[in-house]
């Protein structure tokens, strides 16, 4: 999680100066009062202020001082009368806005209690409690689903007879008891008797209570300026009127609460989920969802499922790697490169002008041995397997996600989601709804929306061009520094010196360029994150889901170009457009295009992936673990306490790190970028799934440790699925088939070797009487006469570098003296045809398998469909029967009354 940008949204959202003069808004139960901001506060009688109470000395208490009313939210501010800086009466203005806001909260039915900090007399903690009536009213407004009756559907274990084995992997059920399942329905106050209310205090769990209170806090007004309402706790926090707003953790993470009525869920999560000793256990997803909300729960469910699926990919990847490792002794072409009588006698042409010398092919001996490990038949098998694996992962995840939607009551979530307060604040235009034919307010007209979209798209396009420019800069660096390494590194390898043995000019250039590329990637990430948030804020999406989806697409598009552009360059462009030594292609008229090693660019692509994946994992873990821990450590060090002071729960939580609104967004982004590395370029690096698996096992526990120990409790949020990340993964899966097919065809030397083995090692093109790889290196290196330099604008760069007349270079061209000298030969056209045929066949085969798997595996399992239908049926039946009972009872009472009236009217006549 990127700590440096965690609170960017909070800081950049609503940046306008909130200290400007405006009219204070006070709301009563029956009217709204608008008061000017001038005048003395003492004379203002309309403010409803919270009661001030002293801390009762109970550090684990989650209740007001009376011990009855539960704390659902905490607001923190610095006492304006004790602030040192009071520029232009700012403190007085902020105090009036705060008092107006708190007064309006009270008018909305919330109950407030204020307590001063025990360690800093300037800080005041305002505790917020929502009484039963308020909870019921807003539960109906927010369409919150609540229990009707216990679920009578039987659940079948997925493991059956393996329960004895999986028991070791499950959390301790004596500590974390399975959650009781209920049939649920959107809450209605008029049907309160139909809901499963055993105890009013427990009917709304703490997460739901906090969610309702935050809904109110986000919409209560406090000022009107230029006919624009200012409201919401986010604006007040960003302007400094409040220092923080958060729900409470229920206890310390490493100790159970002293209150016997407290379930100590934070402690249970730390012990059974975040603690290193639980690294092999399954995640307690139901408790995570209950404590942190569905949005956090669905993320960890997805991450856990992705990690489980990586286990299979990692096993197959390691098997392919080991196949290449043990088979490298049978790599004939590598033996030819290392053989002093073959590779040692082949003189290669200089790869740059003037400074680069002629060189012997055998100096690339070690890199050719390493290349044999990755450029083997196992790589082809693994690439095909990963094309199928990614489809299986996505399809089975859809099924798992559907199960969670049912279990967590998010099947019809779209009906619940409300508009963002920032969106509602800008709704100044009135239009007629085409469906309801009623007036509704929107923030801008159709023309204004088009202008905003155009500006946002232009900004995103500009930043993508900036990334491409940085990639071009890296390419120029590679071209220029290769000349330096070629001139300074030893020309002849010394078998006794390991550095000379491995550090060739190509390898040195690749490693340094990869490190510089990684540094530039991280710098541009930091800048663009802020820019993307600014663009999305300007775009003004309606709901929080729309906001996150819009930001997701912008951020991923940028990250895609940022992280993968260098890999695409090495895989598909480097060494492809270099010409030949007699007529080389120049960049910017100055730099010769880069060439690959005689074995191709596959090993360089592997190096690039290793550095970026490894560096990204290390950097992210430093940010995720060390940074919040150090910041909390510094905060504890700064808090001076003369003696051992008992600190209340709300003050302990205040000193934890805040979790920004987009905290989870960065976690998803990190994993999706990793998913791209694992799938897009896996043909060049079979160990990528293994690295991702190890990283994710640690990532789950690191994220759990952060949430439970280092961060304040987040406001629980609903989420039906993983949002825009699902179609992004599907797009990556489709692109991965193409990239892996092209890597095998154009980046590796597998196709040229197969063409040589089956066609050019035997007559009519070869001299051998049987299929063999002998002579492959000599057959794939063309010959150049150094006097045949064609560019008349430049002096022949090969003259004066030694007494040589002929040299070799990597290409399939006719030799000097041939009627079509330096033109592509027949071998080249055979190879091109084979490469194109391979791409077409591989793509069609894998896409056909992917389509069949997608069709054969339904998104929602039959069992889950039956459960959803059963729940709908029973819910409707229960509510309908209850409604009929009420109707029958009411009709009976009416009939009795009518009968009584009739008897009274008939009896006098009879008399």
């Amino acid at each position: 999680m990127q700590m440096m940008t965690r609170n960017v949204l909070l800081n950049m959202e609503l940046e306008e100066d909130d200290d400007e003069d405006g009219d204070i808004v006070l709301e009563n139960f029956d009217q709204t009062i608008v008061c000017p901001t001038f005048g003395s506060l003492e004379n203002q009688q309309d403010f409803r202020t919270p009661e001030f109470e002293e801390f009762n000395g109970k550090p684990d208490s989650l209740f007001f001082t009376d011990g009855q009313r539960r704390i659902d939210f905490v607001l923190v501010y610095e006492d304006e009368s004790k602030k040192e800086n009071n520029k232009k009466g700012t403190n007085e203005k902020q105090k009036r806005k705060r008092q107006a806001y708190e007064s309006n909260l009270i008018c909305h039915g919330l109950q407030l209690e204020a307590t001063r900090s025990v360690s800093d007399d300037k800080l005041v903690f305002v505790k917020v409690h929502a009484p039963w009536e308020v909870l019921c009213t807003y539960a109906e407004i927010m369409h919150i689903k609540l229990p009707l009756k216990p679920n009578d559907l039987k659940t079948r274990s997925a493991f059956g007879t393996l329960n004895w084995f999986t028991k070791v992997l499950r959390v301790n059920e004596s500590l974390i008891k399975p959650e009781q399942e209920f049939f649920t329905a959107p809450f209605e106050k008029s049907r309160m008797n139909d809901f499963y209310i055993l105890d009013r205090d427990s009917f709304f769990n703490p997460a739901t209570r906090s969610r309702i209170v935050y809904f109110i806090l986000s919409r209560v007004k406090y000022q009107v300026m230029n006919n624009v309402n200012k409201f919401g706790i986010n604006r007040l926090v960003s302007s400094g009127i409040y220092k923080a707003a958060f729900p409470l953790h229920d206890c310390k993470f490493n100790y159970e609460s002293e209150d016997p009525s407290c379930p100590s869920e934070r402690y249970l999560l730390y012990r059974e989920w975040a603690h290193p000793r639980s690294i092999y256990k399954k995640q307690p997803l139901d408790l995570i969802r209950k404590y942190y909300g569905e949005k956090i729960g669905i993320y960890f469910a997805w991450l856990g499922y992705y990690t489980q699926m990586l286990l299979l990919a990692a096993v197959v990847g390691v098997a392919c790697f080991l196949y290449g490792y043990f088979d490298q002794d049978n790599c004939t072409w590598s033996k030819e490169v290392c053989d002093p009588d073959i590779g040692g006698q082949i003189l290669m042409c200089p790869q740059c002008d003037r400074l680069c010398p002629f060189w012997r092919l055998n100096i690339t001996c070690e890199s050719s041995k390493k290349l044999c490990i990755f450029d083997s038949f196992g790589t082809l098998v693994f690439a095909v397997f990963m094309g199928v694996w990614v489809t299986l992962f996505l399809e089975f995840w859809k099924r798992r996600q559907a199960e969670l939607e049912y279990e967590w009551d998010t099947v019809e979530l779209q009906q619940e989601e409300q508009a963002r307060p920032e969106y509602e604040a800008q709704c100044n235009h009135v239009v007629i709804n085409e469906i309801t034919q009623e007036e509704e307010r929107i923030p801008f007209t159709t023309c204004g929306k088009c202008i905003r979209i155009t500006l946002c798209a232009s900004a995103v396009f500009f930043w993508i061009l900036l990334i491409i420019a940085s990639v071009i800069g890296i390419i120029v660096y590679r071209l220029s520094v290769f000349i330096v390494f070629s001139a300074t590194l030893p020309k002849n390898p010394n078998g006794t010196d390991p550095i000379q043995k491995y550090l060739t000019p190509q390898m040195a250039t690749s490693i340094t360029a990869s490190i510089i590329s990684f540094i530039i990637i991280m710098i541009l990430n930091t800048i663009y994150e802020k820019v993307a948030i600014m663009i999305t804020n300007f775009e003004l999406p309606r709901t929080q889901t729309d906001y996150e989806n819009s930001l997701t697409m912008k951020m991923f598009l940028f990250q895609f170009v940022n992280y993968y552009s260098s890999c695409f360059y090495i895989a598909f462009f480097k060494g492809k457009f270099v010409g030949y030594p007699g007529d080389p292609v120049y960049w910017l008229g100055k730099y010769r295009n880069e060439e690959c090693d005689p074995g191709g660019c596959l090993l360089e692509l592997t190096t690039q992936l290793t550095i970026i994946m490894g560096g990204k994992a290390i950097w992210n873990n430093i940010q995720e673990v060390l940074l919040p821990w150090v910041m909390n450590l510094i905060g504890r060090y700064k808090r001076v306490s003369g003696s051992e002071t008992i600190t209340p729960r709300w003050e302990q939580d205040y000193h934890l790190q805040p979790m920004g609104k987009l905290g989870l967004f960065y976690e998803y982004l990190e994993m999706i970028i990793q998913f791209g590395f694992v799938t897009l370029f896996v043909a060049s690096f079979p160990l990528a799934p293994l690295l991702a698996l190890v990283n994710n096992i640690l990532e789950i526990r690191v994220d759990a440790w952060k949430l439970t120990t280092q961060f304040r409790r987040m406001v629980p949020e609903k989420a039906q699925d993983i949002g825009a990340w699902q179609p992004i993964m599907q797009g990556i899966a489709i692109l991965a088939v193409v990239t892996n097919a092209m890597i095998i065809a154009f980046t590796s030397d597998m196709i040229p070797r197969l063409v040589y083995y089956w066609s050019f090692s035997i007559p009519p093109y070869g001299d051998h009487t049987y299929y063999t790889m002998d002579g492959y290196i000599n057959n794939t290196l063309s010959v150049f006469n150094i006097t045949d330099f064609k560019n008349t604008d430049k002096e022949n760069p090969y003259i004066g570098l030694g007494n040589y007349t002929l040299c070799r270079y990597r290409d399939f061209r006719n030799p000097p003296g041939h009627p079509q000298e330096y033109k592509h030969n027949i071998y080249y056209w055979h190879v091109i045809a084979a490469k194109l045929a391979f791409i077409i066949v591989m793509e069609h085969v894998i896409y056909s398998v992917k389509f069949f798997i997608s069709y054969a595996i339904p998104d929602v399992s039959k069992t889950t469909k039956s459960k959803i239908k059963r729940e709908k049926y029973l819910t409707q039946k229960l509510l309908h029967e209850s409604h009929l009972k009420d109707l029958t009872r009411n009709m009976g009472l009416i009939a009795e009354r009518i009968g009584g009236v009739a008897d009274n009217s008939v009896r006098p006549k009879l008399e």
Side-chain angles (χ1 to χ4, degrees):
M1 194 174 299
Q2 311 221 4
M3 280 293 301
M4 297 303 292
T5 55
R6 179 181 309 287
N7 295 312
V8 171
L9 177 66
L10 196 61
N11 296 331
M12 299 182 67
E13 205 173 52
L14 312 169
E15 282 187 336
E16 59 187 320
D17 186 4
D18 214 32
D19 292 330
E20 296 177 3
D21 291 332
D23 294 332
I24 294 297
V25 175
L26 295 180
E27 296 180 325
N28 287 318
F29 293 105
D30 55 352
Q31 62 180 333
T32 298
I33 304 172
V34 180
C35 310
T37 55
F38 50 83
S40 63
L41 293 170
E42 291 77 5
N43 296 330
Q44 187 65 280
Q45 301 298 324
D46 294 309
F47 287 131
R48 299 167 182 260
T49 58
E51 304 170 0
F52 266 84
E53 298 287 348
E54 294 294 328
F55 172 48
N56 59 11
K58 297 179 180 179
D60 289 335
S61 176
L62 302 176
F63 295 88
F64 280 16
T65 307
D66 58 15
Q68 301 296 321
R69 292 173 291 175
R70 184 183 182 88
I71 301 172
D72 299 317
F73 226 87
V74 175
L75 310 179
V76 188
Y77 69 89
E78 186 176 353
D79 193 341
E80 294 85 359
S81 63
K82 298 186 178 183
K83 286 184 178 180
E84 297 178 358
N85 183 21
N86 188 18
K87 185 179 179 181
K88 296 181 180 179
T90 301
N91 292 348
E92 293 297 319
K93 295 177 183 177
Q94 290 188 345
K95 183 175 182 179
R96 291 177 62 81
K97 293 174 184 176
R98 177 183 57 76
Q99 289 182 326
Y101 181 72
E102 292 173 359
S103 177
N104 293 338
L105 290 178
I106 296 173
C107 289
H108 276 76
L110 298 180
Q111 297 174 4
L112 309 183
E113 181 181 271
T115 303
R116 288 198 178 272
S117 168
V118 297
S119 60
D120 185 356
D121 194 46
K122 294 180 181 179
L123 290 179
V124 178
F125 294 86
V126 179
K127 295 161 284 183
V128 184
H129 168 76
W132 173 257
E133 283 299 322
V134 173
L135 292 173
C136 292
T137 300
Y138 281 92
E140 184 171 3
I141 292 173
M142 298 169 67
H143 304 284
I144 294 177
K145 286 187 173 183
L146 292 168
L148 283 172
K149 61 176 292 187
N151 191 335
D152 60 354
L153 297 178
K154 295 181 179 180
T155 57
R156 183 176 55 187
S157 173
F159 297 97
T161 57
L162 294 177
N163 277 341
W164 62 271
F165 175 73
T166 58
K167 186 177 180 180
V168 180
L169 304 178
R170 295 198 296 266
V171 297
N172 189 343
E173 292 187 358
S174 63
L175 294 175
I176 302 179
K177 296 179 174 58
E179 292 290 322
Q180 183 179 6
E181 295 186 7
F182 291 91
F183 293 126
T184 61
F187 185 77
E188 296 179 30
K189 290 178 68 175
S190 59
R191 293 184 172 182
M192 190 180 298
N193 294 331
D194 297 334
F195 287 86
Y196 192 75
I197 305 177
L198 295 180
D199 179 14
R200 286 191 173 190
D201 292 335
S202 61
F203 182 63
F204 294 98
N205 62 37
T208 304
R209 296 176 68 100
S210 298
R211 209 174 125 220
I212 292 174
V213 172
Y214 181 72
F215 181 88
I216 300 171
L217 294 176
S218 300
R219 285 159 173 78
V220 169
K221 304 173 187 176
Y222 64 89
Q223 187 182 24
V224 174
M225 186 173 64
N226 298 328
N227 293 325
V228 176
N229 293 324
K230 289 191 175 184
F231 57 86
I233 190 62
N234 290 336
R235 185 186 290 270
L236 291 169
V237 171
S238 64
S239 61
I241 295 176
Y242 285 101
K243 297 180 73 67
F246 52 90
L248 288 179
H249 283 296
D250 64 353
C251 65
K252 291 184 177 180
F253 69 87
N254 50 352
Y255 296 104
E256 287 189 86
S257 174
E258 296 178 359
D259 185 355
S261 64
C262 177
S264 299
E265 292 174 346
R266 184 189 185 192
Y267 166 76
L268 294 177
L269 285 172
Y270 174 74
R271 175 174 171 172
E272 295 294 316
W273 180 44
H275 198 280
R277 69 186 174 198
S278 302
I279 194 170
Y280 65 91
K281 291 185 177 181
K282 293 184 178 181
Q283 301 182 83
L285 292 177
D286 287 334
L287 185 58
I288 296 169
R289 171 248 182 170
K290 178 182 177 184
Y291 191 76
Y292 288 109
E294 285 77 6
K295 194 170 187 177
I296 295 287
I298 197 73
Y299 164 73
F300 281 103
W302 172 80
L303 182 55
Y305 197 83
Y306 171 45
T307 304
Q308 290 177 18
M309 292 293 291
L310 277 176
L311 180 61
L312 176 62
V315 169
V316 178
V318 169
C320 292
F321 174 80
L322 292 177
Y323 170 82
Y325 179 80
F326 290 113
D327 192 58
Q328 61 180 324
D329 293 335
N330 300 323
C331 191
T332 306
W333 63 273
S334 178
K335 292 180 180 178
E336 292 183 351
V337 171
C338 298
D339 191 340
D341 297 328
I342 301 178
Q345 299 302 316
I346 295 178
L347 184 72
M348 301 297 293
C349 297
Q351 293 184 314
C352 65
D353 295 344
R354 295 298 177 189
L355 296 179
C356 296
F358 292 92
W359 51 288
R360 299 290 176 180
L361 181 61
N362 64 338
I363 72 169
T364 62
C365 174
E366 293 302 322
S367 63
S368 68
K369 289 180 180 178
K370 289 183 285 184
L371 186 60
C372 286
I373 300 175
F374 299 100
D375 195 0
S376 65
F377 179 73
T379 301
L380 172 60
V381 174
F382 189 55
V384 174
F385 166 79
M386 288 301 292
V388 177
W389 173 88
V390 70
T391 305
L392 289 173
F393 163 62
L394 293 175
E395 292 303 318
F396 281 120
W397 165 246
K398 289 179 185 177
R399 291 168 66 89
R400 175 60 178 150
Q401 188 171 257
E403 292 175 5
L404 292 175
E405 286 180 16
Y406 167 75
E407 294 172 4
W408 292 355
D409 286 325
T410 59
V411 176
E412 298 176 352
L413 179 63
Q414 296 300 326
Q415 298 178 4
E416 299 181 30
E417 192 164 18
Q418 306 291 325
R420 296 166 62 238
E422 296 81 7
Y423 178 90
E424 292 177 341
Q426 301 295 327
C427 291
N428 300 320
H429 298 276
V430 178
V431 296
I432 302 298
N433 188 300
E434 295 181 357
I435 300 174
T436 63
Q437 294 297 311
E438 296 179 356
E439 289 187 354
E440 65 176 11
R441 291 184 175 271
I442 59 174
F444 33 72
T445 61
T446 304
C447 180
K449 185 175 182 179
C450 292
I451 293 174
R452 285 175 180 257
I453 292 175
T454 303
L455 292 175
C456 292
S458 301
V460 173
F461 182 68
F462 167 78
W463 277 91
I464 291 176
L465 291 180
L466 187 62
I467 297 299
I468 295 174
S470 70
V471 173
I472 294 174
I474 293 293
I475 295 173
V476 173
Y477 165 82
R478 299 170 70 102
L479 297 174
S480 57
V481 81
F482 177 76
I483 300 174
V484 177
F485 284 129
S486 298
T488 55
L489 291 178
K491 313 298 187 295
N492 299 312
N494 184 352
T496 61
D497 190 343
I499 296 180
Q500 294 184 17
K501 190 176 181 181
Y502 290 99
L503 196 60
T504 62
Q506 292 90 343
M507 183 61 68
T509 302
S510 176
I511 292 175
T512 57
S514 297
I515 293 173
I516 293 174
S517 177
F518 171 73
I519 294 172
I520 292 176
I521 284 171
M522 301 313 295
I523 293 173
L524 290 175
N525 276 351
T526 304
I527 299 173
Y528 183 75
E529 283 169 3
K530 298 180 180 179
V531 174
I533 291 170
M534 289 178 61
I535 295 172
T536 311
N537 287 341
F538 178 73
E539 190 178 319
L540 202 62
R542 181 179 179 273
T543 65
Q544 185 65 23
T545 299
D546 294 339
Y547 182 93
E548 292 180 2
N549 289 345
S550 178
L551 183 61
T552 295
M553 297 305 298
K554 294 180 181 66
M555 284 295 296
F556 178 76
L557 189 60
F558 170 82
Q559 299 279 17
F560 184 91
V561 179
N562 199 16
Y563 277 105
Y564 303 141
S565 55
S566 57
C567 296
F568 274 101
Y569 165 73
I570 294 172
F572 306 124
F573 295 98
K574 183 183 176 184
K576 304 299 187 293
F577 311 101
V578 296
Y580 68 98
D583 189 19
V585 176
Y586 288 88
W587 260 76
L588 307 175
K590 181 179 181 182
Y591 301 104
R592 275 181 59 170
N593 264 1
E594 285 186 282
E595 297 183 31
C596 296
D597 277 338
C601 287
L602 190 68
L603 186 61
E604 188 172 346
L605 179 59
T606 303
T607 304
Q608 178 83 358
L609 285 171
T610 305
I611 290 176
I612 293 181
M613 277 192 71
K616 185 175 180 294
I618 293 171
W619 176 255
N620 286 334
N621 283 322
I622 289 175
Q623 285 190 310
E624 293 183 9
V625 178
L626 289 182
L627 200 55
W629 179 76
V630 169
M631 294 181 71
N632 283 333
L633 192 65
I634 294 173
R636 286 194 295 269
Y637 178 78
K638 287 182 177 180
R639 294 196 299 273
V640 180
S641 55
S643 59
E644 289 295 328
T645 305
I646 299 176
T647 308
R649 171 83 270 135
W650 49 86
E651 194 160 347
Q652 295 175 40
D653 286 6
Y654 170 69
H655 293 300
L656 296 176
Q657 293 299 305
M659 184 84 165
K661 279 187 177 181
L662 300 179
L664 207 58
F665 169 83
Y666 296 114
E667 300 292 350
Y668 273 118
L669 184 61
E670 177 187 349
M671 288 296 102
I672 296 298
I673 294 297
Q674 180 205 88
F675 179 77
F677 282 122
V678 168
T679 54
L680 290 174
F681 306 101
V682 75
S684 66
F685 192 34
L687 294 180
L690 177 63
L691 294 181
L693 174 65
V694 174
N695 177 78
N696 288 6
I697 291 174
L698 297 176
E699 180 78 18
I700 291 173
R701 306 304 164 175
V702 167
D703 287 348
W705 175 81
K706 288 183 308 181
L707 285 177
T708 55
T709 66
Q710 302 299 309
F711 287 98
R712 298 172 191 158
R713 189 174 181 178
M714 293 179 65
V715 178
E717 293 183 57
K718 286 277 189 179
Q720 188 175 22
D721 48 38
I722 60 174
W725 301 110
Q726 182 78 25
I728 286 175
M729 286 195 297
Q730 291 172 340
I732 291 175
I734 294 172
L735 182 60
V737 177
V738 180
T739 56
N740 285 301
M742 293 182 69
I743 286 173
I744 293 174
F746 292 105
T747 310
S748 76
D749 259 14
M750 185 177 296
I751 302 300
R753 290 200 300 270
L754 291 174
V755 171
Y756 177 80
Y757 181 84
W758 292 106
S759 298
F760 284 79
S761 62
I762 58 174
Y765 302 110
D767 300 327
H768 299 280
T769 58
Y770 55 91
Y771 297 109
T772 180
M773 285 301 296
D774 294 338
Y776 170 74
I777 289 296
N778 186 64
N779 190 269
T780 55
L781 294 177
S782 301
V783 180
F784 174 66
N785 190 327
I786 63 173
T787 61
D788 293 340
F789 188 73
K790 293 186 177 181
N791 193 337
T792 57
D793 296 334
K794 294 180 179 289
E795 186 179 354
N796 192 326
Y798 310 119
I799 303 298
L801 296 179
N803 297 321
Y804 307 110
T805 56
L806 298 175
C807 63
R808 309 293 291 272
Y809 61 98
R810 174 185 164 84
D811 207 345
F812 306 112
R813 294 178 183 268
N814 294 313
H818 191 278
Q820 293 183 331
E821 63 177 3
Y822 303 126
K823 301 291 185 182
H824 289 299
N825 56 24
I826 188 66
Y827 190 2
Y828 171 83
W829 298 111
H830 274 73
V831 168
I832 288 294
K835 288 181 175 180
L836 295 177
F838 171 80
I839 291 175
I840 293 173
V841 171
M842 180 176 174
E843 285 183 0
H844 280 68
V845 169
I846 296 180
Y847 281 140
S848 299
V849 173
K850 287 168 69 70
F851 174 79
F852 174 77
I853 292 174
S854 299
Y855 177 78
I857 302 176
D859 293 347
V860 183
S861 67
K862 184 178 180 180
T863 304
T864 304
K865 285 181 180 178
S866 299
K867 288 180 179 179
I868 293 173
K869 291 178 180 178
R870 171 70 175 166
E871 180 175 356
K872 284 185 176 180
Y873 167 74
L874 291 178
T875 301
Q876 291 176 357
K877 182 180 179 182
L878 180 65
L879 292 176
H880 181 65
E881 289 178 351
S882 176
H883 180 67
L884 284 179
K885 289 180 181 178
D886 292 342
L887 187 60
T888 303
R889 184 171 60 252
N890 293 334
M891 291 297 293
L893 293 175
I894 294 173
E896 289 178 2
R897 291 177 182 175
I898 293 176
V901 172
D903 289 342
N904 292 334
S905 61
V906 171
R907 189 175 293 113
K909 293 181 179 180
L910 294 175
E911 291 175 354

